[in-house]
Amino acid sequence: MSYLIYAPKTPQERAHQLMFGLNTIGRSSDNTIVIMDESLSRYHAEITIAHNRITIKDLQSLNHTFVNEVKIDQCELKDGDVIYCGNVEFKFIQKIKATPKASSSTSYEPEFVEEQDYQISIPETIVKQFSTEQSSFKMQDLLDSPGKGDSLLRLGHRGSNQRTVDKLKILLEVSKQLASPEEPDRLLEKILDLLFEIMNIDRAVILMVNERTRQLEHKAVKLRPGISSSSQFYSKNITNYVYKNGNAILTTDACLDQRFNDSDSIFVQAIRASMCIPLKPREEVIGVLYVDNLSISDIYSDEDVEFLTALANQAAIAIDNANLYKKIQAEAVMRNKLERFFPEAVRKKLQEEVNLAIVDTEVTALFADISNFTKMSSSMQPRQVITMLNEYFEVMVEEIVFRYEGTLEKYIGDALFAVWGAPYQKTDDAERAIQAAIDMQWAVLQLNQKWVQQGKQPIQIHIGLNTGKVAAGNIGSEKLIQYATIGDTTNVTSRICNVAQAGEIVISQTTFERLKTMSLPFEKMPLVQVKGQEQPLQLYRLLWNLLPSKLGQVGEL
C-alpha cells in the first residue's frame, strides 16, 4: 500500500493512502487529496498507481510540481521521494510496515518503523494491541425465534448477568451497523429492520420533527407480516406527549390510561401495549420511536424500556450524524459552486448571509476575449485547445479577477465576463477592474514566454470595460446558482470589447470618469457606433504598455 505523507516531520503531518489508479491533488473539493493552500492550483497534480509503476504528473499548475527539488511535468516515483506542489511538501512512501522492538520480559513496547527510516510514533502507554478486523460474532446467535414471553427482547431464559452481557453485545453490534454514513431515509428503514430482528413487536414507526413547522412527521414504518397496513396506527396523543416532555413512556393497556381518553386511535386500533421513546442525540428531541403490540397487554417490562431507550439513543445519534453528513455534503456542493464565481472574501460573506437576492446596483464590467481564437484553434487538437484554455483561465480568474475581488459571471467560449460591484460594492470597483485588465495583459505576455519555450502558439487578448446600472442576482432557481447581471451595461461592455484590437484595453466614458484620480495614460478615440445603441460611444484606449513593466505583474500582486 502506498502513501503520500503531508508535511512530514512536522506537527501537521498526516498520511493519505493512495488508491490504485488515479489520485489527484489540489484545492478543489473533488480531488482525491484536498489541501487548502493558496500555493496549490485547484487541480495541481495527479499520481497514477499501476501494476508495474507509479507516476506523478503536473496538471499545468501555476506554481509547478517538483520531485527531489527538480521541476517535472511527469516522472516515475520511487519510495522516499520528496514532492513539492507549490509550497506544500509531501513524502512518497511505497510501503509502511510494522516492526516490533524488543523490550524487557515483563512488558511489550511496540514501535513502528517504516522502510527508509520513516517512523510513525505511538504513545508509550500502549502495552497491548487488538485487531479491529470484523469479528465472528453474529447477533442472531444471541436471539431466540419470535414468541411470547415476559419480555419484548428475544434473549430467551438466560441468567441476569448473561442477559446484561448479551444486551451490551447487541447494542455494540447495532452501533457498528449504524455507524457508516447513509441517506437519512435509508437509515430509518435500517433502524426498524434491526428493531424487528431484536424485539417481539407488531408495529413500529419513526416520526421526525420538521425543522420549519416543529411538528412530528411520519417518516418510516414497519409491520409484522400478517398485520394490515394503516395510514396512521399510532396515537398522536402518545407521540406528542413524548415529544413535548422528552421522556419515554410504557403503556400496558393504552385504552385504560385517562391521559389519552380523547385519542380516538387508541380505541379504534385497540392498542393493548406500547412504548414510545424520544430520539434525543443531545438536549433537543429530534423525533420519536414508537412500537406497540395489538394483543397482549403485559408483554412489555422495565427492562424493555431501558433497552429500547439505549437503542433509541444510538439511533438518534446515527440519524443526527446522517443529517449532519448530508448537510456537510450540501454545503460542500454549495461551496464548490460559489468557488466558481466569487473570490474567497465574498464567498465567506455570502455563506454567512445566505443571500443572493436580485438587487439593482452599479458595476464595472469586464469582457476579455482571445484575439483570432477561431483561426488559431483550427490548427490545434481539441484536447490542446482545452488544456490551453484551462491554463489561461486559471491565471485570468483565480490569480487576477479573484485577487481583485471581482465576480466571475461566465465563460463564453474563449472569453470571460467579470464584474466589480456585485454582489457587494466598493468605492474603488472601477479601479480594481482596470488594474485587473492591466494585469491580464501582462500575464498573457508571461504565459506566451512559457508557451513559446514549450513549442506552443502565443496569444493576444482584447479587453473592454464599462460602468453602469444592472440587476444582479441568482438567475434561474434557488438550487442552481447562476449568478448573473442583466442590463444594457452588460451588452455595451461586450460591444466595447469587440471594438478593442489585439493587445488593447478599451473603456467607456462612464468608466473613464471613475478613473480620473489614477493618472493612467489614456488615448481618446473617435466616436464609435456600436450595435444596439442609438448614439455613438465615446471610448478611451489605455496605453498599458507605457506603464512600468512591474505594474500588475502576477508575481507582484
Side-chain angles (χ1 to χ4, degrees):
M1 191 65 65
S2 300
Y3 295 83
L4 204 59
I5 311 300
Y6 167 78
K9 312 297 185 184
T10 72
Q12 290 76 40
E13 174 186 282
R14 64 177 181 268
H16 296 275
Q17 183 175 324
L18 297 173
M19 304 179 297
F20 185 83
L22 186 65
N23 302 262
T24 59
I25 306 166
R27 295 200 325 268
S28 182
S29 60
D30 56 349
N31 283 287
T32 311
I33 300 173
V34 180
I35 306 293
M36 299 307 294
D37 187 287
E38 287 299 322
S39 67
L40 266 68
S41 298
R42 294 184 65 194
Y43 302 96
H44 196 102
E46 64 183 27
I47 295 177
T48 303
I49 299 182
H51 289 292
N52 57 348
R53 64 197 300 248
I54 300 174
T55 57
I56 184 170
K57 178 181 178 182
D58 182 76
L59 299 178
Q60 298 188 330
S61 61
L62 183 65
N63 292 316
H64 313 298
T65 302
F66 299 82
V67 175
N68 299 327
E69 300 184 357
V70 177
K71 179 178 175 293
I72 61 98
D73 291 324
Q74 181 171 333
C75 76
E76 190 167 342
L77 284 176
K78 300 185 297 297
D79 193 27
D81 280 347
V82 176
I83 302 167
Y84 277 93
C85 294
N87 297 328
V88 179
E89 180 183 357
F90 298 98
K91 187 173 183 179
F92 173 68
I93 303 297
Q94 194 157 0
K95 183 183 293 185
I96 294 178
K97 69 177 183 179
T99 304
K101 184 177 73 174
S103 61
S104 68
S105 59
T106 57
S107 66
Y108 179 76
E109 182 184 24
E111 178 184 8
F112 291 102
V113 181
E114 179 271 323
E115 294 175 342
Q116 304 292 332
D117 296 330
Y118 186 81
Q119 296 183 0
I120 301 175
S121 61
I122 62 174
E124 295 181 356
T125 53
I126 295 179
V127 296
K128 192 173 183 181
Q129 298 181 71
F130 296 89
S131 172
T132 58
E133 296 297 322
Q134 186 73 26
S135 69
S136 59
F137 166 75
K138 294 182 180 179
M139 187 164 59
Q140 196 60 42
D141 294 340
L142 302 179
L143 302 176
D144 289 338
S145 59
K148 298 178 182 180
D150 58 357
S151 173
L152 186 74
L153 287 170
R154 296 178 172 178
L155 286 178
H157 299 284
R158 294 173 171 87
S160 60
N161 289 339
Q162 187 59 44
R163 285 179 68 86
T164 300
V165 172
D166 291 349
K167 285 188 290 185
L168 289 174
K169 287 182 178 180
I170 291 172
L171 289 173
L172 177 60
E173 183 64 18
V174 169
S175 178
K176 288 167 61 178
Q177 293 196 30
L178 298 182
S180 59
E182 291 202 44
E183 284 294 318
D185 291 345
R186 176 66 192 97
L187 178 62
L188 299 184
E189 295 174 4
K190 190 173 185 178
I191 291 168
L192 294 183
D193 288 342
L194 287 168
L195 192 61
F196 270 73
E197 183 179 349
I198 296 166
M199 299 180 172
N200 289 328
I201 54 179
D202 290 337
R203 304 180 299 191
V205 64
I206 294 177
L207 299 98
M208 301 300 299
V209 177
N210 183 299
E211 292 185 358
R212 183 177 59 84
T213 65
R214 308 307 302 171
Q215 300 296 313
L216 288 174
E217 291 184 350
H218 180 129
K219 289 295 184 181
V221 64
K222 187 175 178 67
L223 307 174
R224 182 170 54 81
I227 295 181
S228 60
S229 61
S230 171
S231 59
Q232 180 186 316
F233 59 78
Y234 55 89
S235 165
K236 284 189 175 181
N237 276 28
I238 292 178
T239 56
N240 285 332
Y241 182 87
V242 172
Y243 167 39
K244 299 299 182 183
N245 291 276
N247 297 319
I249 64 168
L250 163 65
T251 66
T252 57
D253 196 332
C255 299
L256 304 178
D257 196 319
Q258 294 182 356
R259 288 173 297 177
F260 310 120
N261 279 345
D262 60 346
S263 180
D264 292 337
S265 64
I266 292 174
F267 293 96
V268 172
Q269 298 291 340
I271 298 170
R272 302 304 302 273
S274 71
M275 288 191 297
C276 192
I277 313 292
L279 297 173
K280 193 175 180 182
R282 288 183 291 275
E283 297 300 318
E284 185 179 2
V285 176
I286 64 171
V288 299
L289 170 62
Y290 173 90
V291 301
D292 69 18
N293 182 279
L294 299 179
S295 56
I296 306 174
S297 61
D298 294 324
I299 190 173
Y300 300 158
S301 66
D302 291 349
E303 178 191 26
D304 297 328
V305 176
E306 292 173 359
F307 183 85
L308 188 58
T309 299
L311 190 149
N313 286 339
Q314 290 183 329
I317 293 171
I319 293 168
D320 197 48
N321 288 341
N323 290 330
L324 179 60
Y325 182 73
K326 189 173 182 179
K327 183 178 180 182
I328 290 173
Q329 285 185 312
E331 289 178 351
V333 171
M334 174 67 76
R335 184 166 57 251
N336 189 47
K337 290 179 178 179
L338 292 176
E339 284 178 356
R340 293 162 51 195
F341 300 102
F342 307 110
E344 184 176 2
V346 176
R347 290 200 303 267
K348 289 181 178 178
K349 191 171 182 180
L350 285 172
Q351 286 172 330
E352 290 171 0
E353 298 180 357
V354 195
N355 181 21
L356 282 174
I358 297 176
V359 296
D360 294 318
T361 185
E362 180 182 278
V363 301
T364 295
L366 178 152
F367 258 105
D369 202 358
I370 299 177
S371 305
N372 300 315
F373 179 76
T374 302
K375 180 179 179 181
M376 181 186 71
S377 61
S378 65
S379 62
M380 301 170 64
Q381 294 295 322
R383 184 178 291 273
Q384 292 177 316
V385 175
I386 293 174
T387 300
M388 184 269 287
L389 286 177
N390 284 342
E391 185 172 3
Y392 164 75
F393 282 135
E394 181 174 14
V395 174
M396 295 298 110
V397 175
E398 295 192 23
E399 308 302 329
I400 298 178
V401 173
F402 285 173
R403 187 162 293 189
Y404 283 105
E405 298 189 13
T407 296
L408 172 67
E409 182 169 321
K410 66 183 73 173
Y411 297 113
I412 310 170
D414 60 302
L416 69 87
F417 178 48
V419 297
W420 281 257
Y424 303 109
Q425 277 192 315
K426 288 185 171 62
T427 56
D428 59 347
D429 283 329
E431 296 175 13
R432 289 171 180 267
I434 195 67
Q435 189 62 63
I438 296 170
D439 287 356
M440 287 179 179
Q441 293 289 7
W442 284 117
V444 166
L445 295 183
Q446 292 179 339
L447 283 171
N448 283 339
Q449 290 177 1
K450 173 184 174 182
W451 287 344
V452 169
Q453 291 176 355
Q454 296 173 348
K456 301 176 182 178
Q457 295 187 53
I459 65 171
Q460 287 184 296
I461 63 173
H462 50 283
I463 302 173
L465 290 94
N466 183 33
T467 303
K469 295 288 186 180
V470 296
N474 188 21
I475 309 298
S477 70
E478 293 182 0
K479 292 183 179 180
L480 177 62
I481 292 180
Q482 180 58 62
Y483 195 80
T485 55
I486 305 297
D488 193 51
T489 298
T490 301
N491 299 328
V492 172
T493 309
S494 177
R495 307 300 183 204
I496 295 173
C497 182
N498 291 336
V499 172
Q501 300 299 306
E504 289 187 347
I505 300 173
V506 175
I507 71 171
S508 68
Q509 179 69 39
T510 51
T511 304
F512 177 77
E513 291 171 356
R514 286 157 181 76
L515 297 173
K516 290 181 178 178
T517 60
M518 290 190 71
S519 300
L520 296 173
F522 284 108
E523 178 181 85
K524 189 174 184 179
M525 301 172 64
L527 294 176
V528 178
Q529 186 71 50
V530 298
K531 183 179 178 180
Q533 297 295 306
E534 295 182 0
Q535 300 297 322
L537 302 179
Q538 178 61 68
L539 304 179
Y540 297 83
R541 182 182 295 111
L542 174 61
L543 307 178
W544 61 271
N545 52 349
L546 298 181
L547 299 169
S549 60
K550 67 177 182 179
L551 178 62
Q553 289 187 6
V554 175
E556 300 291 331
L557 293 179

